[in-house]
Amino acid sequence: MNTQPLSALAGLSYNQRSSLRKGNILTVSDLLVLSSQVIAKRCRITHGEAQEIVNLVFDELKPLPLHHLGDPDIPKDDIITTGDNILDNALGGGVRTRKLWEVTGESAAGKTQLAMQLALCVQLPHRLRGVSGSACFLSTSWTLPTNRLVEMVNNHPALSPAVCGLADIHTIKTPTIALLIHVLSDTLPAFLDGRKSQPETKPVKLLVIDAITELFHSDQAVSTTTLAERSRNLTEIATLLHILAHKHGLAVVVLNEVSDAIDRELPPNSRPHEVSYQDQARLFNRGDSIPGENSKEAALGLVWANQINARIMLTRTNRTRVLDDSDYRPHKRRRTADDGRNVGNTIVSSGSEPIRIRRLSVIFNSTAPPVSLDYIITASGFISLDLDEPFLTTDISTIRGPSNAAPPLAPLEDVCPLDLPLAINSSAGPSSDPSLPSSANFTGQAASSLGDVEPDLLLEGLDAENGPQDEDDEWETYWKDGDLGSDVYSQVDLEALSSGL
C-alpha cells in the first residue's frame, strides 16, 4: 500500500488538497481504493473535479523510465563549494544537490553563518566551484541579516560583489507548520518554474530552512497523539523537500537545534542483543570527537534522522588558541588602528590574543565518511583550522616528562590534543602554577610553534579554558570550615552525657 501523503504531491493545488482533507482522504492508498463518485460525494465536489484529482495523482505516480549507467540523460548532481577547502574535503567535495542536508548545533555555534556562506557561494560560477545559481531562505522566526551577508562578501577571498550579492537570495517567513507545507507544495514550486523560464536569471540551486525546530516548540503535554502528529508533519515536510530537491536539482540545507542527551537504563524486559532506541540515538544523533560533545544530541528524534542524507553537528567549546597569520588561509583584511583582524565582534591582534575555537563533526553522510575538524567564525565567515599539533604523534613519556614531574591535568586518553595546555617558551622559565607542566616537558616543536608569544597571554588563554584558578567559592569555603569530620561521633563521651541526664 502506498502511504504517501496526498499533500506531498506537487501536482495537486491547494484547493484540491483542502477538499481531500475534508473528505478524510489523506494518503494515496485512501484515494486509489475509492471511485470518483465516492470521492466527489465525500469531498462535496463535482464528479468532474474528482476525476481530475484522480488523473493528476496517476500522472504524478507514473513510474520513471529506467536508465543504464552510461545514459547521458541521467541527471547528475552538482557540487557547491562551502568557501572553505578543508570543509569541502570533509563533505566529499562540497554540498551536493538532490540531497537533504542537516546542520544542527546549539545556539551561537555558527549554523546560520554557514548557511549564509553557502547562499553566497552557490552564486559563484563553475570555474570558482559554484553552480551559478541563487538561494531561497525560509526563515521560521527571524529576518535574514543582510548586513552580515554584505560583510561576508566584502571579506571572504572567494566572494566578490561582481559575482554574488543580495539580489540572488530570496527569502520568505514560514512561522507555522501549515504555512511551511503550503510554501513547499505550492508557492515554491511555482517560483522555481518561473525562474527556469527566465534564462537571464540564475536558477535556484539552494534551499535553506532556518530553523525547523522552531516550528515544533509547543506547550502541549507530550502524548501519543502529539508524537504521532509531529511524526506525520516531519514526514510530510521531508517528502516535499526530497521532491523539490530531485525535481529541480536543489541542495536542501535544514538547520536544527540540539537538546541535552540523557542516557536511561534499559527496561527490564529488553532483549540483550536488541539494538535499543538509546543506542540508535547515540550513533545517529550525537557527536563524540572531543570530551563533552556527546552531552548534546540533535532534536526531533530518529523520525527526522531517517529523512536526511547527511547530518553535521556544530559545537561550542571552551578552548581558545593564539593564532597567527599562518593558521588562516589568505583572506581580505580590514586595517584597524592597531593593525588587527576583525573576528566577529572582537578585534584580534595578530598572534597576541586567544580566539574561541569551535568543533564541527559529520555524524553521517551518504557521500563521505564521518570526520571532525575545528573552526572559527570571522568577519569573512566560516574558516576551518588546520593546526599542526605535535601531540598527535608524541609519545606519552615526552608529555609527562620525568617521574617527579606533575602529571597532566587529565588522563591523556580523555583529553583531545587541542585541549592540552599551551607550552610556554623555555626562555620564560617554569610556570608559577605547579599543576601545569613546564615547557621542558613538551617537545621542542611545540615550544617553537608558539614563536615569541608573551607567557602572560598564554596563561590568560589557559584561564579562559579552565576557568579562574585562584578564586574559591564562598559557599564551598563555608561548608568546608564547618565540616565536623567523619569521626565526630567517636569523639563524643556518651557515658558523661548519660550521667548528666
Side-chain angles (χ1 to χ4, degrees):
M1 296 182 67
N2 192 336
T3 59
Q4 181 179 356
L6 290 170
S7 57
L9 300 182
L12 297 177
S13 67
Y14 178 78
N15 292 333
Q16 290 172 332
R17 285 195 296 272
S18 299
S19 300
L20 292 172
R21 281 196 296 269
K22 291 178 182 178
N24 198 27
I25 303 176
L26 305 178
T27 66
V28 174
S29 299
D30 296 339
L31 182 74
L32 295 181
V33 297
L34 301 175
S35 64
S36 57
Q37 292 84 354
V38 176
I39 295 175
K41 183 177 180 180
R42 290 178 57 175
C43 299
R44 297 183 180 181
I45 57 178
T46 64
H47 179 263
E49 292 174 337
Q51 188 61 48
E52 182 182 0
I53 291 177
V54 173
N55 293 337
L56 288 173
V57 172
F58 273 101
D59 291 339
E60 188 84 14
L61 300 177
K62 184 170 56 178
L64 298 175
L66 297 177
H67 297 277
H68 58 81
L69 295 179
D71 193 341
D73 295 332
I74 296 179
K76 294 180 174 56
D77 297 340
D78 293 319
I79 300 180
I80 305 169
T81 179
T82 62
D84 184 275
N85 292 332
I86 297 178
L87 181 57
D88 285 345
N89 294 333
L91 300 181
V95 175
R96 296 174 182 265
T97 58
R98 306 180 192 278
K99 287 180 172 52
L100 181 52
W101 301 76
E102 182 203 73
V103 180
T104 185
E106 53 197 322
S107 177
K111 303 185 297 295
T112 303
Q113 302 292 323
L114 180 57
M116 290 192 295
Q117 186 165 316
L118 284 172
L120 295 171
C121 290
V122 72
Q123 305 176 38
L124 297 175
H126 289 81
R127 60 182 177 84
L128 297 179
R129 299 170 58 198
V131 293
S132 296
S134 60
C136 279
F137 248 90
L138 305 184
S139 59
T140 58
S141 60
W142 66 297
T143 304
L144 193 64
T146 55
N147 292 338
R148 177 58 177 146
L149 289 166
V150 173
E151 183 183 27
M152 296 171 71
V153 171
N154 293 332
N155 286 273
H156 198 283
L159 304 177
S160 170
V163 294
C164 57
L166 303 182
D168 288 306
I169 300 179
H170 316 280
T171 180
I172 186 174
K173 293 194 69 172
T174 55
T176 64
I177 296 175
L179 184 56
L180 175 62
I181 293 176
H182 173 68
V183 169
L184 294 178
S185 57
D186 284 307
T187 308
L188 194 56
F191 176 74
L192 297 176
D193 292 334
R195 297 283 293 187
K196 283 185 178 180
S197 62
Q198 302 174 6
E200 69 278 3
T201 61
K202 293 181 178 179
V204 177
K205 287 295 183 180
L206 175 69
L207 174 62
V208 179
I209 299 180
D210 184 10
I212 191 173
T213 330
E214 296 286 344
L215 303 177
F216 292 91
H217 290 167
S218 175
D219 296 333
Q220 296 181 354
V222 178
S223 63
T224 303
T225 303
T226 58
L227 290 176
E229 179 69 13
R230 189 184 75 165
S231 299
R232 186 186 68 81
N233 290 329
L234 287 172
T235 304
E236 184 174 355
I237 292 172
T239 302
L240 291 170
L241 292 175
H242 279 292
I243 291 174
L244 291 172
H246 285 271
K247 183 177 180 180
H248 299 277
L250 305 179
V252 180
V253 178
V254 179
L255 306 189
N256 192 7
E257 298 176 359
V258 294
S259 58
D260 293 330
I262 301 175
D263 291 327
R264 299 179 177 87
E265 295 183 1
L266 295 178
N269 58 349
S270 61
R271 300 177 183 177
H273 303 292
E274 185 179 64
V275 180
S276 64
Y277 183 94
Q278 177 177 310
D279 292 331
Q280 297 179 56
R282 177 176 52 83
L283 294 173
F284 297 103
N285 292 352
R286 307 180 193 175
D288 195 18
S289 64
I290 58 174
E293 189 180 16
N294 59 355
S295 63
K296 301 288 184 179
E297 64 181 13
L300 303 181
L302 292 178
V303 172
W304 174 250
N306 287 324
Q307 310 295 329
I308 58 181
N309 300 113
R311 166 166 280 167
I312 303 168
M313 177 172 284
L314 306 184
T315 307
R316 292 184 300 165
T317 71
N318 293 325
R319 294 180 287 128
T320 59
R321 281 295 177 269
V322 178
L323 304 175
D324 54 25
D325 290 335
S326 62
D327 296 320
Y328 297 87
R329 279 164 305 288
H331 63 282
K332 305 172 187 175
R333 296 182 57 185
R334 296 189 300 174
R335 297 288 179 177
T336 61
D338 58 353
D339 193 26
R341 284 194 305 269
N342 190 322
V343 180
N345 296 323
T346 305
I347 300 296
V348 179
S349 300
S350 299
S352 63
E353 294 188 14
I355 183 175
R356 186 71 58 189
I357 293 179
R358 312 176 195 194
R359 188 74 168 175
L360 179 146
S361 295
V362 180
I363 309 300
F364 60 85
N365 186 358
S366 59
T367 57
V371 69
S372 297
L373 55 90
D374 286 324
Y375 69 96
I376 58 177
I377 300 296
T378 70
S380 61
F382 181 102
I383 293 182
S384 301
L385 297 181
D386 190 13
L387 299 178
D388 184 15
E389 290 291 335
F391 305 115
L392 290 172
T393 56
T394 303
D395 183 73
I396 187 172
S397 60
T398 64
I399 295 180
R400 298 195 58 149
S403 58
N404 59 351
L409 298 179
L412 185 63
E413 61 272 11
D414 295 335
V415 179
C416 174
L418 296 180
D419 285 327
L420 291 175
L422 290 172
I424 301 178
N425 195 303
S426 58
S427 62
S431 170
S432 59
D433 190 344
S435 65
L436 299 179
S438 65
S439 61
N441 299 334
F442 290 85
T443 61
Q445 182 181 2
S448 62
S449 64
L450 298 173
D452 298 327
V453 181
E454 298 180 8
D456 293 340
L457 293 176
L458 297 181
L459 291 178
E460 288 178 6
L462 184 61
D463 290 341
E465 290 188 38
N466 299 330
Q469 303 296 318
D470 54 354
E471 295 183 4
D472 295 330
D473 186 85
E474 295 181 2
W475 283 108
E476 183 178 352
T477 304
Y478 171 81
W479 290 113
K480 186 181 297 184
D481 294 341
D483 189 5
L484 297 177
S486 59
D487 58 344
V488 59
Y489 294 105
S490 62
Q491 301 174 8
V492 178
D493 191 349
L494 299 178
E495 294 181 0
L497 290 177
S498 61
S499 60
L501 296 175

